[in-house]
Amino acid sequence: MGSVTLEGTAEITSQPQNPPNPTTVYDGKSYDTVREGLAEILNPRDKSESDSAQNQKPPKTQTVFYNPIQQFNRDLTVLAIRTFGSDLAAIRKARQATGPGSRRGKKRKRSKEDDGSSVGNLNNSAAGDESTNTIGEGNNSRVTEGNDSKAKDDGTASGTNVGTETSAGQSNGSTTFVSAGEFRILDALSATGLRAIRYAKEVPMVTSVVANDLSLQATDSIKLNVDHNQVSGKVSVTTGDAQAHMHNVASSLNRGRQSLYEVIDLDPYGTAAPFLDAAVRAVVDGGLLCITCTDAGVFASLGYLEKTYSQYGGLPFKGPQSHEAGLRLILHAIAACAARYGLSIEPLLSLSIDFYARVFVRVRRSPAEVKFLASKTMIIYNCDEGCGAWSTQFLSQSRAKKDKNGDTIYKFSLAKAPSANQFCSHCGFKTHLSGPMWGGPTHNPHFIQRILATLPSLSRDTYATIPRIEGMLHVALHESASFVTKPSSADSVEQDHSETISIIGNSQPFPPVDPSVRDAHPFFITPPSLAKVLHCVSPSDSAIRGALAHLGYRTSRSHTKPGSICTDAPWTVIWEVMREWVRQKAPIKEDAIKKGTPGWGIMRNDRSKREVNEAKRQLRERLEQCEELSEVKTELEAALWRAREVVGEEVRDPSGENEKGVAESNGEGLSKEKEDRLTPNPESHHYTENILTHKLNIVFDEALGKEPPGKRMVRYQMNPRADWGPMNRAKGL
């Protein structure tokens, strides 16, 4: 690379002290040495950048893209990959202990997991099942396990699973077994190569890293940085299109020549959508995808909703929860790409950070888990122009049952539609559609706990963003362990997934999330937004938390927005709490809310008018179902009976036969058939199982709503400097 001189201290230690950036000269060219983690990169130095450094502002243009703002992203990714690598090593070690010898020469029988009739052992797929299909070759699952052929132990493309290593380091038949020691990472859009170099130096189990970029200037810079950091033995540099590279690796034509990757990192300038299809194919079974999308103006905004749909396969969400919904749109796009190849995804960690989204997703080959995708995909009916309430509609239903052997099986069916009226049931305003989007959990709490457990042993000089990582992960941990539900089951009681999660030793693989679980309460609320609708003084967070906790509902924070409250309380209860807040704590003037506004629609249902409005609503709905004059008469008599029953008057029960003596009433003047038609859809978020909200005892107990005292953390970081954002695209790209 030519002669090298250093000005200043550039020695790399395990705990760097972050000195001022020294200047390095290669072949007569001056470079600023930027240190991050255990890596150093050389940034071409010119006058404009020197002036920017003196003014503490980012340069307007760069030859090779480098954004110091995303150090948090890179620090977190290093820790996530280290945690994932330890888990993958534990999985491989456990499978090595069992060994494949007992299965040699035996014909493989089709099991329940293959046809999706049971998911009792689906979690085993995290370690990779010995049977496999070739990616892109349809759903044929024919597998031979004879000794007639051998293959090099390289985890070759074709979508083979991470199998158990044989004693000779080879694989049997058509199944490829990967050595427990191999751990390959692809930095598909490498730019300066900083990520690849950090992985090589900071991830102890890594065996090779490929740093790829389309730009010749970028790959020249990567080679310079690789040599400067003395990691050329681990990091190889390629110049080419990232999609072509990943498709080439996944192609069955390259079997035996190129290997699938344990980890693929996609950090593009903008959306990662064009790379998803190739990425899910180029990662091993049980591998990790680390994906960044910086186009928040698309996935979290209505400005380009047509582009949002074309990129992510769904429509964006309007409201304070737009970034939270954006994460689910990204996960939906990944899951849809993976499902085409019989691959399922498990989000390990999904974060909305500053101006971008970052998701860590494990990909497994499991056609049985893919069957749950429709029942974990939802659309949202959002009252974005009214009170801000929403309801969810999952695209299909999955019901758990017991077979004759006592095993759990799942039945899939179409969901009832629609789950909500075109007008909001709370304020009467029109609702708008968002999605489809991912409706399952967005985190694996065990994975988060593993990362948190490593933080105390790390140097804060090396990982300068540890305070923010710790704070954000603690919020995500509580966010992930609260509000998930399993499919309904007629034979068993639904499990509670909110129990305290025990820390599992690093020697054992952390449990994967049940593939049938979905998130029935996907978004948060904010007290100021609720108070704005009613034109009242905003209650404190602790007051709302205390009121909901007193009623038996759970609350937590959302990592996406300060002051947010995640809860499993339905909107009928939330608005009743706010009406009681107005009545008990913050009365408003009668003319403060104008007729026809969302607040007027909400306050119409206060306790003093609740019974009248409910009777009118029920009568309106029942009359719309009437087809005969006799049915109208019966409904009016039933309404009169219900009204007199409320005020304590005696009245004849209209149940029994009607005038024609044909339709038996159900006790409220409705035939059984019509009662079935009017039953609320349990798939809807509005379904509250007949909660009588006007009878709830609501207490604003701030002491109950306050979080217990503990360590102070940086949960929501303020912008540390001016011009905080994605920066301009590099001019050399």
Side-chain angles (χ1 to χ4, degrees), residues 419-713:
S419 66
N421 197 297
Q422 61 177 326
F423 296 99
C424 177
S425 61
H426 306 286
C427 68
F429 273 59
K430 290 182 179 180
T431 59
H432 293 99
L433 195 67
S434 297
M437 62 182 67
W438 176 261
T442 56
H443 313 294
N444 182 320
H446 302 282
F447 179 74
I448 298 174
Q449 279 196 325
R450 286 283 180 88
I451 299 177
L452 287 171
T454 66
L455 297 184
S457 62
L458 299 176
S459 167
R460 300 204 174 199
D461 293 327
T462 304
Y463 300 96
T465 61
I466 281 181
R468 190 183 182 193
I469 291 175
E470 183 180 26
M472 182 170 281
L473 290 187
H474 268 98
V475 177
L477 177 63
H478 291 90
E479 176 185 288
S480 65
S482 300
F483 313 116
V484 292
T485 59
K486 289 177 67 69
S488 57
S489 171
D491 304 321
S492 61
V493 179
E494 190 170 297
Q495 298 180 8
D496 184 3
H497 291 264
S498 65
E499 298 177 355
T500 302
I501 301 167
S502 60
I503 298 179
I504 302 172
N506 290 336
S507 61
Q508 298 294 325
F510 61 79
V513 174
D514 188 331
S516 67
V517 167
R518 62 190 187 186
D519 195 342
H521 308 277
F523 304 124
F524 61 81
I525 60 174
T526 58
S529 298
L530 301 177
K532 183 179 179 181
V533 174
L534 301 182
H535 298 279
C536 68
V537 176
S538 175
S540 64
D541 293 355
S542 57
I544 294 295
R545 292 174 189 272
L548 294 175
H550 185 266
L551 295 174
Y553 295 103
R554 296 170 291 183
T555 62
S556 67
R557 296 174 182 266
S558 170
H559 77 277
T560 59
K561 191 176 183 65
S564 57
I565 299 175
C566 299
T567 179
D568 57 348
W571 273 102
T572 50
V573 172
I574 293 172
W575 281 124
E576 182 64 20
V577 168
M578 287 303 299
R579 283 190 289 265
E580 279 299 286
W581 170 259
V582 171
R583 187 179 71 85
Q584 297 181 25
K585 304 290 186 179
I588 57 177
K589 296 181 180 179
E590 293 185 2
D591 58 348
I593 302 178
K594 296 182 179 179
K595 185 175 181 180
T597 62
W600 180 81
I602 296 296
M603 295 305 296
R604 249 189 343 175
N605 295 318
D606 65 7
R607 298 191 173 197
S608 62
K609 303 174 183 177
R610 174 80 181 190
E611 294 169 349
V612 174
N613 292 330
E614 184 65 18
K616 289 163 64 176
R617 184 191 64 79
Q618 290 183 6
L619 180 59
R620 189 185 310 109
E621 289 183 353
R622 295 173 187 274
L623 289 176
E624 289 178 354
Q625 300 294 325
C626 295
E627 298 177 357
E628 302 290 340
L629 183 60
S630 59
E631 294 179 354
V632 175
K633 179 180 177 182
T634 302
E635 296 300 339
L636 292 174
E637 290 178 352
L640 181 61
W641 173 75
R642 288 193 296 269
R644 291 182 178 178
E645 186 182 51
V646 171
V647 297
E649 297 182 16
E650 293 185 0
V651 66
R652 180 181 65 84
D653 188 343
S655 61
E657 296 183 351
N658 61 15
E659 291 182 339
K660 297 182 180 180
V662 292
E664 182 180 355
S665 174
N666 66 352
E668 291 188 348
L670 271 186
S671 67
K672 183 67 169 60
E673 179 183 0
K674 286 186 172 52
E675 182 68 21
D676 290 341
R677 292 206 301 263
L678 292 176
T679 300
N681 185 354
E683 295 295 315
S684 170
H685 179 76
H686 287 308
Y687 183 59
T688 59
E689 299 183 358
N690 301 320
I691 295 177
L692 301 177
T693 54
H694 61 288
K695 294 185 178 181
L696 294 176
N697 180 26
I698 298 174
V699 179
F700 295 95
D701 189 344
E702 294 197 20
L704 180 61
K706 286 184 178 180
E707 294 183 346
K711 182 179 179 180
R712 294 180 63 87
M713 298 181 184

Side-chain angles (χ1 to χ4, degrees), residues 80-304:
I81 293 176
R82 290 174 61 168
T83 301
F84 169 78
S86 298
D87 181 71
L88 187 61
I91 291 172
R92 290 174 171 175
K93 183 178 179 180
R95 281 173 34 251
Q96 280 182 330
T98 59
S102 60
R103 294 175 60 98
R104 288 184 183 176
K106 295 182 180 180
K107 185 176 180 180
R108 179 179 177 274
K109 294 183 179 180
R110 184 177 178 86
S111 63
K112 293 178 182 179
E113 288 78 22
D114 296 326
D115 58 12
S117 61
S118 172
V119 293
N121 296 320
L122 279 179
N123 293 345
N124 295 336
S125 64
D129 193 279
E130 290 185 3
S131 62
T132 181
N133 300 342
T134 297
I135 293 182
E137 294 183 2
N139 293 325
N140 298 324
S141 57
R142 183 174 59 189
V143 177
T144 60
E145 296 189 0
N147 298 321
D148 56 341
S149 64
K150 294 185 180 289
K152 184 180 179 181
D153 178 20
D154 58 2
T156 299
S158 79
T160 54
N161 296 332
V162 181
T164 307
E165 184 188 19
T166 65
S167 59
Q170 295 176 332
S171 62
N172 303 330
S174 62
T175 303
T176 302
F177 300 105
V178 178
S179 168
E182 295 208 43
F183 196 85
R184 293 146 299 199
I185 301 177
L186 170 64
D187 185 10
L189 306 159
S190 198
T192 61
L194 175 58
R195 288 176 183 268
I197 295 168
R198 290 194 63 180
Y199 299 155
K201 296 175 75 72
E202 299 174 33
V203 181
M205 67 284 298
V206 68
T207 56
S208 64
V209 182
V210 175
N212 176 80
D213 204 283
L214 183 62
S215 168
L216 285 173
Q217 287 180 291
T219 52
D220 288 342
S221 175
I222 296 171
K223 293 175 183 177
L224 177 66
N225 290 323
V226 167
D227 289 342
H228 178 71
N229 286 271
Q230 301 178 356
V231 290
S232 56
K234 281 189 176 181
V235 180
S236 59
V237 183
T238 61
T239 305
D241 181 81
Q243 297 178 65
H245 176 87
M246 290 185 286
H247 279 303
N248 187 50
V249 168
S251 172
S252 59
L253 297 177
N254 287 302
R255 187 177 305 169
R257 288 182 291 167
Q258 286 184 297
S259 303
L260 297 178
Y261 295 101
E262 275 68 29
V263 177
I264 295 179
D265 190 341
L266 297 175
D267 185 32
Y269 191 93
T271 180
F275 307 97
L276 298 180
D277 191 83
V280 297
R281 299 185 62 220
V283 71
V284 299
D285 180 20
L288 179 69
L289 296 181
C290 311
I291 298 174
T292 300
C293 292
T294 62
D295 58 332
V298 175
F299 65 73
S301 168
L302 293 182
Y304 308 94

Side-chain angles (χ1 to χ4, degrees), residues 73 291-294 299 326-327 330 351-353 355-359:
N73 183 333
I291 298 174
T292 300
C293 292
T294 62
F299 65 73
L327 285 172
I330 295 169
L351 298 176
S352 174
I353 309 165
F355 55 87
Y356 61 93
R358 182 67 164 172
V359 298

